[in-house]
């Protein structure tokens, strides 16, 4: 899309007034959940037609990520050996997650929705007011294009992270998968500590880095899908909250100890009982017998 006028296209993650697509021929690149939501919204807002351009010759049918959602993943993924973490996440990435059933029906119920399979985008050109999108099956002509290509972990696009980005240790800095299992998304994923905290490539190179906690999708390789996926996000949030509470306690331990020493709230006031006359409650000793003179 480089060089194509930004007024003619948007990414599915952009803020877009879909009512501006009324009466237009709209193309949607992709077939994931964001592609379906984008296509359906365009159709519901009166687009003349929506063509989905899908690389694959068929849509994925089975949500392998859902199949991995067991209590063991929730509570034990972080402790797995590196090779198993990589193997699980790479397999799910390769299989891809299908769009939700309801989202797909939201698109297909429209007669002016078209699922074009086996149509990877090869080139996009702006000619006048129209976009010409080349695919192996021919060229599509659109008035507007929505690119639903997912996301990448790219620190360079986030200037607010420029200070810490060079110091964050990624999986690619410390782990090399077996040949054939290379995965750029996984290699770029941050290598996180037990409380989702960033870790430095070189110890001490960025003081305070460990105070930044990455509770979002890039944590999936380190922790499993507990920071951005149903149903385990509540477990992940609890893990984060418990971990932060522990870190705060450790950091403030001197203050907690001082509070302990100063604590003086009485549990008992002294009027809850009456002291017994213990001398009357114990066995009295017998007087020694006197000796008779012979």
């Amino acid at each position: 899309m480089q060089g194509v006028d930004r007024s003619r296209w948007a990414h599915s993650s952009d803020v877009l007034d879909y009512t501006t697509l009324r009466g237009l021929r709209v193309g949607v690149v992709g077939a994931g959940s964001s592609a379906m939501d984008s296509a359906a919204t365009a159709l519901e807002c009166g687009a003349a037609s929506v063509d989905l351009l899908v690389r694959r010759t068929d849509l994925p049918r089975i949500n392998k990520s859902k199949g991995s959602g067991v209590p063991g993943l929730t509570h034990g993924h972080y402790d797995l050996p590196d090779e198993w973490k990589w193997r699980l996440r790479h397999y799910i990435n390769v299989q891809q997650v299908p769009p939700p059933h309801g989202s797909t029906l939201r698109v297909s119920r429209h007669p002016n929705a078209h699922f074009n399979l086996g149509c990877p985008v090869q080139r996009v050109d702006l000619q006048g007011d129209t976009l010409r999108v080349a695919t192996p099956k021919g060229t599509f002509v659109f008035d507007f294009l929505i690119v639903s290509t997912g996301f990448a972990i790219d620190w360079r696009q986030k200037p607010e992270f420029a200070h810490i980005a060079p110091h964050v240790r990624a999986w690619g800095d410390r782990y090399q998968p077996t040949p054939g299992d290379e995965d750029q998304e996984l290699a770029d994923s941050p290598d996180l500590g037990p409380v989702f905290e960033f870790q430095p490539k070189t110890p001490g190179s960025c003081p305070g880095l460990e105070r930044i906690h990455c509770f979002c999708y890039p944590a999936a390789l380190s922790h499993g899908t507990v920071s951005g996926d149903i149903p385990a996000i509540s477990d992940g949030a609890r893990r984060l909250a418990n971990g932060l509470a522990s870190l705060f306690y450790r950091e403030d331990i001197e203050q907690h100890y001082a509070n302990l020493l100063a604590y003086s709230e009485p549990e008992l006031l002294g009027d809850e009982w009456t002291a017994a006359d213990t001398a009357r409650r114990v066995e009295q000793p017998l007087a020694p017998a006197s000796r008779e003179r012979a």
Side-chain angles (χ1 to χ4, degrees):
M1 301 308 298
Q2 294 179 7
V4 180
D5 192 325
R6 206 59 171 83
S7 66
R8 313 308 301 177
W9 69 278
H11 193 274
S12 56
S13 61
D14 293 338
V15 176
L16 176 63
D17 180 3
Y18 279 76
T19 62
T20 61
L21 305 181
R22 180 178 299 277
L24 301 185
R25 297 166 295 178
V26 177
V28 175
V29 179
S33 59
S34 65
M36 293 300 166
D37 288 342
S38 297
T41 305
L43 290 161
E44 291 163 2
C45 287
S49 63
V50 170
D51 282 85
L52 289 97
L53 307 182
V54 186
R55 281 181 302 172
R56 293 187 174 221
T57 56
D58 196 6
L59 298 185
R61 308 293 179 88
I62 299 172
N63 187 346
K64 292 290 188 173
S65 182
K66 183 179 178 180
S68 70
V70 297
L73 177 145
T74 303
H75 302 291
H77 181 93
Y78 182 79
D79 297 320
L80 285 175
D82 288 349
E83 56 271 21
W84 269 112
K85 290 183 181 181
W86 190 282
R87 184 177 182 182
L88 287 168
R89 295 306 309 170
H90 178 62
Y91 175 71
I92 292 171
N93 282 353
V94 171
Q95 296 299 309
Q96 292 196 324
V97 176
H101 178 73
S103 298
T104 307
L105 291 176
R106 188 180 158 207
V107 176
S108 62
R109 68 184 179 88
H110 294 270
N112 53 339
H114 309 281
F115 291 74
N116 301 284
L117 304 174
C119 286
V121 173
Q122 298 172 318
R123 183 179 176 84
V124 179
D125 295 305
L126 179 61
Q127 293 187 2
D129 292 332
T130 62
L131 293 170
R132 299 181 64 83
V133 181
T135 76
K137 293 187 177 181
T139 299
F140 292 82
V141 180
F142 300 125
D143 301 305
F144 196 86
L145 189 64
I146 300 173
V147 182
S148 302
T149 53
F151 56 86
I153 302 170
D154 187 352
W155 294 90
R156 295 170 298 178
Q157 297 190 38
K158 295 295 182 180
E160 62 269 31
F161 297 142
H163 177 69
I164 67 170
H167 303 284
V168 174
R169 187 172 74 194
W171 271 77
D173 297 321
R174 54 172 290 273
Y175 180 77
Q176 293 299 318
T178 56
D181 287 341
E182 294 83 0
D183 191 315
Q184 194 61 48
E185 177 189 303
L186 300 185
D188 291 337
S189 296
D191 179 26
L192 302 177
V195 194
F196 301 90
E197 70 272 25
F198 289 128
Q199 301 184 96
K201 293 179 183 178
T202 304
S205 63
C206 186
L209 182 64
E210 73 284 351
R211 292 173 178 266
I212 305 174
H213 302 261
C214 179
F215 191 71
C216 49
Y217 181 78
L221 180 54
S222 293
H223 283 266
T225 49
V226 298
S227 60
D229 201 6
I230 298 171
I233 191 169
S234 296
D235 297 281
R238 187 176 299 109
R239 182 186 305 172
L240 175 65
N242 290 343
L244 288 173
S246 175
L247 292 171
F248 288 145
Y249 181 71
R250 185 190 316 167
E251 191 168 281
D252 297 335
I253 189 59
E254 291 187 4
Q255 182 62 47
H256 286 295
Y257 184 64
N259 292 342
L260 175 62
L261 296 180
Y263 183 77
S264 60
E265 179 183 344
E267 189 71 26
L268 297 173
L269 300 176
D271 58 359
E272 294 86 358
W273 76 97
T274 300
D277 184 353
T278 307
R280 297 172 62 103
R281 300 298 304 156
V282 299
E283 180 180 18
Q284 300 299 317
L286 297 175
S290 57
R291 292 186 178 183
E292 294 183 2
R293 290 177 178 255

